[in-house]
Amino acid sequence: MKGKAPEDILLSLQEGLIEIGNRFERDECFTPELMYGAEIVRTSIEPLKPLLKGVSVATKGKVVVGTVYGDIHNIGKDLVKLLLEGDGFEVVDLGENVDPAKFVEAVKSDGAKLVGLSALLTMSFGAISNAVKAINDAGLKDKVKIMVGGAPVTELVREKSGADFYGKDAFSAVKYAREVYGY
Amino acid sequence: MKKIGKRRCNISSGREKVLSCLDFGKGSRSVKAEFAFWYETLDRWYGEGLPKGKGLPEYAVGHNIRSNFNTNMPGEGIIDSDVHKYFSFDFNSFSIPNNFSPMYEKVTIEENDEFIIFKDDYGITQKRLKDEQGGIRSSMPMYLDFPVKTRRDFALYKERFDPDFSKRVKKGWIESTDDYREKGFLIWLCGRSNGFFWFLRELMGLENFLMTIHDDPGLINEMLDFILDYTISFWEYILDNTRVDVVLINEDMAFKGGPLLSPDSFKEFLRPRYKKLTGFLKGHGIKNIFIDSDGDMTGLIPLLMESGVNGLLPAEITGNMDMVKIAKDYPDLRIAGGINKMKLFDNKNEIDKELEKVPFLLKRGGYVPFVDHSVPPLISWKNFVYYRNTLNKMVDSIIKS
């Protein structure tokens, strides 16, 4: 990529990641390859960051992510974060066992248009609904989209919790983030 | 068969029934069994009508309560007897301890009212939440750190495994196997981290392990060869001294989107080791070699079968896992589980729909139906009774036919 503008390098990296994601969806590559690709993109972006200051493509937008209250599992959430960052989103990671109020606070203070709720346990379904309700009760329903994902989460859980989108895997979360931010 | 009393004869027939079922026998096409329950599930059910016989000990809080098929390390597991009795489950299990731990000393790192962080005997640092009473909540922990990050870490790690297997099996346990078999218990060889994928995940953590497949495949091969050789030596020590009905290899190598590693990686790294291990087991007369893996295993089933594995337990309904299709595509595959727990939360119609596949699977044989993993507390006693009574009628009907 010698002689290329930093924003072009960034776009090429992101195109590569999307291609890996597409192959992942077609079962042509699997989780190790997806993770490896995201890690390559993430580490390649680091030295580009100082060169991208003031360039509009530097970030696609903010996404708040966290594992819901009562659940302390991070692998799925961390993979979503890795892919989102690789694709150029700024991720506000609230960690695990996140109180619904913290999601509200983060959405308000960071101005994110998208929040991702992660869960591993079937016992966490109530916590997903509580987090969605807290965000909606805070008057943020029209300002932020809510996506849910994790091993036991299904379209039915999304529907019952009132979330906007169910991500069946980490890459579908990236595609939805692109949609929300108009990419 | 030895002449034994009426009670023994009944219990003994339980083991024979399950073995006949797994052998696709006409004599007994299926058995009544479940896998496990979360503590919170049984606690809820006692309040909703499950008759309390033996109940659960106080220390059961935070534990996964075993049923017929979920038999890990004896002494660590707590076994339900009340649901077992209520639904007349067919058999009990006895598992030979199968300790692949590097035997680190357990150390508490941080503890407060909300959680505890500790390093376990596998050298894994984990965090577990507490409940309102201060007990450890049942469910999977959050893993914070793993013992192997480099080749040098692994060199030090494997030094902890010596060939004195007697300290890995409780005294008298192998000897008591014959007695349990005679009492009608199904004899298992199973335990934590005995699968290749699982072993490496516990060594390095999932992310690091999956990245190392590409970064340093030589290290992956070295670690797999080590666990293969050690497993065969350890199990030879056990199998030279007793007979086993079922081997359960723990893997958890898939999620709902499919396998966590590609079929090509399976062929390169796991298939040759599986062939060697299953060949060794078959040489000891073991007919039932099951794999325990959550997630959508559809893509790996043919590779597992050509590697000598012939059963799924518990077969989880997630992603594209279609039990009827799998049963048709792989007629020799033993299947245990296959009932989607998520369908038991709701109403009778949903439960009936979920059970529609069961008669075909029972007729095909080699199938033991039960909830596809530990029964979660979101399922009411009322719903579970309806599901289980309906299922029991189906099992009775196929036995009579």
Side-chain angles (χ1 to χ4, degrees), chain A residues 156, chain B residues 317 322-324 338-361 367 383 386-387 390-391 394:
Chain A
L156 186 66
Chain B
I317 305 304
D322 176 343
M323 276 305 127
V324 171
I339 307 296
N340 188 350
K341 57 187 162 298
M342 315 287 268
K343 302 292 182 186
L344 308 188
F345 297 166
D346 225 328
N347 54 46
K348 288 180 180 178
N349 288 343
E350 285 294 312
I351 297 171
D352 287 337
K353 263 165 66 182
E354 179 58 18
L355 295 179
E356 277 173 6
K357 64 191 162 191
V358 173
F360 166 78
L361 292 166
Y367 178 55
N383 276 20
Y386 179 76
Y387 141 76
T390 310
L391 190 56
M394 291 174 172

Side-chain angles (χ1 to χ4, degrees), chain B residues 37 42 45 50 80-89 384:
Chain B
F37 312 93
L42 294 188
W45 289 356
L50 167 62
D80 156 73
S81 58
D82 292 337
V83 181
H84 191 292
K85 190 177 167 190
Y86 189 90
F87 293 107
S88 306
F89 290 159
F384 189 79

Side-chain angles (χ1 to χ4, degrees), chain A residues 23-103:
Chain A
R23 291 183 190 192
F24 176 78
E25 286 193 325
R26 298 195 299 265
D27 285 344
E28 291 170 11
C29 73
F30 291 78
T31 306
E33 292 75 37
L34 191 62
M35 289 173 73
Y36 205 75
E39 185 62 19
I40 288 170
V41 173
R42 197 182 62 82
T43 51
S44 303
I45 285 175
E46 282 305 313
L48 288 176
K49 277 184 177 170
L51 306 170
L52 288 166
K53 274 187 181 164
V55 178
S56 62
V57 296
T59 175
K60 287 193 167 96
K62 277 186 185 176
V63 183
V64 172
V65 299
T67 307
V68 295
Y69 189 71
D71 199 326
I72 53 172
H73 301 94
N74 59 345
I75 292 175
K77 179 215 20 122
D78 287 353
L79 182 56
V80 169
K81 180 185 172 187
L82 186 66
L83 288 171
L84 284 169
E85 287 180 340
D87 195 40
F89 288 92
E90 186 181 339
V91 178
V92 180
D93 183 1
L94 301 179
E96 301 78 34
N97 192 27
V98 180
D99 192 277
K102 285 193 177 163
F103 283 111

Side-chain angles (χ1 to χ4, degrees), chain A residues 32 36 70 72-73 150 152-153, chain B residues 137 140 142 214-215 256 260 342:
Chain A
Y36 205 75
I72 53 172
H73 301 94
V153 179
Chain B
R137 278 178 27 180
M140 286 170 63
M142 176 188 187
H214 292 287
D215 273 339
K256 65 180 173 184
L260 282 163
M342 315 287 268

Side-chain angles (χ1 to χ4, degrees), chain B residues 181-347:
Chain B
R181 187 184 304 107
E182 195 175 292
K183 286 176 183 168
F185 282 62
L186 191 69
I187 309 297
W188 293 75
L189 184 54
C190 61
R192 179 174 165 182
S193 86
N194 64 5
F196 299 112
F197 189 92
W198 189 304
F199 182 78
L200 264 60
R201 187 180 55 233
E202 293 217 321
L203 277 184
M204 311 185 84
L206 182 65
E207 297 98 322
N208 198 14
F209 160 39
L210 295 182
M211 300 286 253
T212 306
I213 287 175
H214 292 287
D215 273 339
D216 191 352
L219 178 58
I220 298 286
N221 279 317
E222 193 184 317
M223 292 190 291
L224 289 171
D225 282 339
F226 166 74
I227 189 60
L228 171 66
D229 292 344
Y230 197 81
T231 303
I232 287 180
S233 303
F234 182 22
W235 283 358
E236 194 154 43
Y237 169 79
I238 294 169
L239 296 172
D240 281 350
N241 291 290
T242 192
R243 285 179 293 121
V244 162
D245 297 318
V246 183
V247 171
L248 178 61
I249 300 172
N250 294 310
E251 286 292 24
D252 279 358
M253 54 166 69
F255 74 120
K256 65 180 173 184
L260 282 163
L261 83 172
S262 69
D264 284 345
S265 293
F266 185 96
K267 286 178 197 165
E268 180 182 350
F269 295 107
L270 299 192
R271 183 169 63 182
R273 276 95 184 182
Y274 259 106
K275 281 189 172 176
K276 201 165 172 187
L277 183 63
T278 57
F280 159 78
L281 292 170
K282 283 171 186 166
H284 278 79
I286 296 167
K287 286 183 179 175
N288 300 296
I289 303 173
F290 277 82
I291 190 167
D292 173 346
S293 183
D294 295 355
D296 184 349
M297 289 289 288
T298 312
L300 291 183
I301 291 172
L303 294 174
L304 282 162
M305 290 195 75
E306 67 173 71
S307 305
V309 172
N310 59 13
L312 287 182
L313 187 164
E316 193 177 27
I317 305 304
T318 185
N320 295 315
M321 287 282 277
D322 176 343
M323 276 305 127
V324 171
K325 184 171 188 315
I326 288 170
K328 284 178 180 169
D329 288 349
Y330 309 103
D332 298 328
L333 182 70
R334 286 106 168 124
I335 300 171
I339 307 296
N340 188 350
K341 57 187 162 298
M342 315 287 268
K343 302 292 182 186
L344 308 188
F345 297 166
D346 225 328
N347 54 46

